[in-house]
């Protein structure tokens, strides 16, 4: 374990019966870090969180937190908080009682309890709602109660499993900002699970992209967004045009195409729609789709490489469906993929 790691997963393997859901996972999380676990449904995000929370015993490997091995420590002795997508609040209790619940279990009473809960509610902007029953709150407010309930326990690590996925678009944005503020103000180490790349990019200090129970890439949002290491990550973060490279050529199901420039020694190249130059270049395609997207126009081209998706400034002269258009795939605008498939 390195000196800077606060929470360490060391060759962690997790299984349901005989099925391995997470294999030999190594991860080091720094104190105060906001880490996002990003990946498609079923890749093992929730399973990993459950093991950190102590709700699941690993079949292999170790978990340590703040210098102590917690692999076999009971969930309620770990100082790990968990906030779910479904808020799991007690509907018959008030907001105050929900937030006070864990503290009471620890034996806290009286003025100390009142002060703690009030501070927790204030930190999530719910000071005025202490007396309400939770079903009388909006989804966003319920999620804030769940957050306050975890935060008052002063966890060493707070785990949030898709906490925003039940909220509508506007509330999600609001809660995202709220989460970021609470995390920065409290300095709590946070792991945030999402299948939404936009959320991960916006929130996280670092992103862990998972695939099939293993880590595919770890990096800052900029690294993941600009330098995906594999076709899987590129696809996940919005590179619409992803090609294998073989013998110095772009290779697709339709055959191989040489670009004007010599290709670097990589397994694949990927372009975002914006990185493709339209209107000139050595390649050509037929416009099969056009959509106006406000500031830009998106084109779907049928080409010898298969379908190419491009996006150009809306001020650029528009092409009609069926038009033949020249284009270029500039190598300097491509992400260089170390792995393909
Ligand atoms: N209770 C369970 N019993 C058996 N298999 C499970 C159970 N929960 C999850 N799995 C399987 O483990 C894998 C990882 O699931 P999960 O961690 O929930 O993924 P994610 O949270 O990334 O969507 C999936 O293949 C899933 O089907
Ligand atoms: Mg999940």
């Amino acid at each position: 374990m390195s000196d800077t790691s606060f929470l360490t997963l060391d060759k962690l393997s997790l299984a349901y019966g005989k099925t391995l859901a997470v294999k030999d996972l190594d991860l080091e999380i720094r104190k105060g870090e906001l880490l996002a676990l990003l990946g498609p449904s079923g890749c093992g995000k929730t399973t990993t969180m459950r093991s950190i929370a102590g709700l699941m015993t690993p079949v292999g490997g170790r978990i340590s937190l703040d210098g102590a091995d917690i692999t076999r420590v009971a969930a309620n002795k770990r100082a790990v908080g968990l906030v779910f997508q479904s808020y799991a609040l007690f509907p018959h209790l008030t907001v105050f009682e929900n937030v006070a619940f864990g503290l009471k279990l620890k034996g806290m009473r009286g003025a100390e309890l009142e002060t703690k809960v009030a501070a927790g509610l204030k930190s999530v902007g719910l000071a005025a709602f202490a007396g309400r029953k939770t079903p009388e709150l909006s989804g966003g407010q319920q999620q804030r109660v769940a957050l306050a309930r975890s935060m008052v326990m002063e966890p060493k690590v707070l785990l949030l499993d898709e906490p925003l996925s039940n909220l509508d678009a506007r509330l999600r944005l609001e809660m995202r900002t709220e989460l970021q503020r609470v995390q920065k103000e409290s300095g709590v180490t946070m792991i945030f699970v999402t299948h939404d790349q936009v959320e991960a990019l916006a929130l996280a200090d670092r992103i862990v992209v998972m695939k099939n129970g293993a880590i595919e890439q770890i990096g800052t949002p900029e690294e993941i967004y600009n330098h995906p290491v594999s076709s899987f990550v590129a696809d996940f973060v919005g590179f619409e045009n992803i090609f294998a490279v073989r013998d110095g050529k772009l290779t697709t199901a339709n055959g191989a195409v040489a670009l004007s420039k010599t290709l670097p020694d990589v397994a694949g190249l990927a372009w975002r729609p914006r990185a493709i130059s339209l209107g000139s270049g050595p390649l050509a395609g037929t416009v099969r789709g056009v959509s106006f997207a406000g500031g830009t126009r998106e084109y779907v081209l049928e080409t010898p490489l298969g379908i190419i998706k491009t996006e150009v400034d809306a001020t650029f002269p528009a092409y009609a469906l069926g038009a033949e258009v020249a284009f270029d795939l500039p190598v300097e605008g491509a992400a260089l993929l170390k792995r393909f498939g």
Side-chain angles (χ1 to χ4, degrees):
M1 182 170 56
S2 76
D3 290 343
T4 52
S5 183
F6 184 60
L7 173 65
T8 307
L9 311 183
D10 181 17
K11 300 249 175 313
L12 192 68
S13 291
L14 304 163
Y16 296 98
K18 290 211 165 93
T19 316
L20 264 190
V22 170
K23 296 164 222 107
D24 288 334
L25 194 96
D26 287 321
L27 186 58
E28 298 193 336
I29 298 152
R30 299 178 202 115
K31 190 168 182 164
E33 191 169 26
L34 203 175
L35 191 91
L37 279 191
L38 176 69
S41 183
C43 72
K45 305 181 296 296
T46 294
T47 305
T48 304
M49 297 294 252
R50 286 170 52 83
S51 74
I52 299 170
L55 303 175
M56 187 168 180
T57 309
V59 291
R62 292 186 336 127
I63 304 173
S64 47
L65 175 59
D66 199 8
D69 185 331
I70 60 161
T71 316
R72 291 179 201 281
V73 171
N76 60 352
K77 299 273 193 290
R78 288 190 177 199
V80 173
L82 182 56
V83 175
F84 298 99
Q85 163 183 355
S86 64
Y87 322 120
L89 300 174
F90 300 114
H92 58 289
L93 299 182
T94 63
V95 167
F96 181 95
E97 289 161 340
N98 266 281
V99 175
F101 194 84
L103 295 171
K104 279 187 178 167
L105 280 182
K106 278 175 50 178
M108 195 182 284
R109 296 284 184 275
E112 192 189 3
L113 181 68
E114 300 268 338
T115 310
K116 259 270 162 63
V117 174
L121 287 176
K122 184 161 177 272
S123 79
V124 297
L126 285 180
F129 293 83
R132 290 256 191 114
K133 291 273 170 60
T134 56
E136 297 162 20
L137 301 176
S138 71
Q141 289 168 332
Q142 291 188 34
Q143 191 55 287
R144 282 165 203 250
V145 176
L147 182 61
R149 182 180 57 180
S150 283
M151 287 297 292
V152 294
M153 303 302 288
E154 297 175 356
K156 287 182 176 173
V157 180
L158 183 61
L159 310 175
L160 301 118
D161 193 352
E162 311 232 5
L164 310 183
S165 53
N166 277 350
L167 305 175
D168 67 38
R170 193 181 55 83
L171 267 178
R172 276 166 84 124
L173 203 65
E174 206 179 292
M175 270 310 286
R176 198 162 91 188
T177 315
E178 183 82 5
L179 269 179
Q180 213 164 18
R181 186 184 60 73
V182 168
Q183 198 264 341
K184 292 299 166 219
E185 281 176 7
S186 65
V188 69
T189 307
M190 226 185 235
I191 307 181
F192 179 94
V193 166
T194 180
H195 60 265
D196 180 352
Q197 52 121 346
V198 176
E199 225 162 74
L201 292 165
L203 265 177
D205 296 316
R206 279 192 309 155
I207 297 174
V208 176
V209 182
M210 285 183 71
K211 175 191 177 188
N212 296 335
I215 292 176
E216 183 78 0
Q217 185 172 3
I218 304 180
T220 63
E222 284 81 2
E223 284 162 356
I224 300 284
Y225 188 83
N226 293 318
H227 306 291
V229 295
S230 67
S231 55
F232 177 84
V233 178
D235 185 39
F236 214 80
V237 297
F239 284 79
E240 304 259 11
N241 308 288
I242 304 172
F243 300 99
V245 171
R246 255 175 245 133
D247 304 325
K249 290 178 178 163
L250 291 191
T251 308
T252 71
N254 301 337
V257 173
L259 297 184
S260 44
K261 269 201 184 149
T262 315
L263 298 187
D265 182 21
V266 292
L269 291 172
W271 286 266
R272 291 185 179 279
R274 292 222 66 146
I276 292 175
S277 6
L278 201 63
S280 65
L283 301 162
T286 309
V287 176
R288 292 296 179 214
V290 195
S291 49
F292 178 62
T296 61
R297 215 172 255 111
E298 294 162 7
Y299 288 98
V300 177
L301 304 180
E302 190 181 318
T303 81
L305 284 158
I307 293 296
I308 293 275
K309 292 188 181 166
T310 70
E311 183 182 358
V312 291
D313 222 77
T315 53
F316 200 77
Y319 298 108
L321 283 178
E324 286 291 314
V325 184
F327 70 96
D328 192 14
L329 298 173
V331 174
E332 56 282 4
L336 313 178
L337 309 178
K338 294 195 189 85
R339 293 194 300 279
F340 196 88

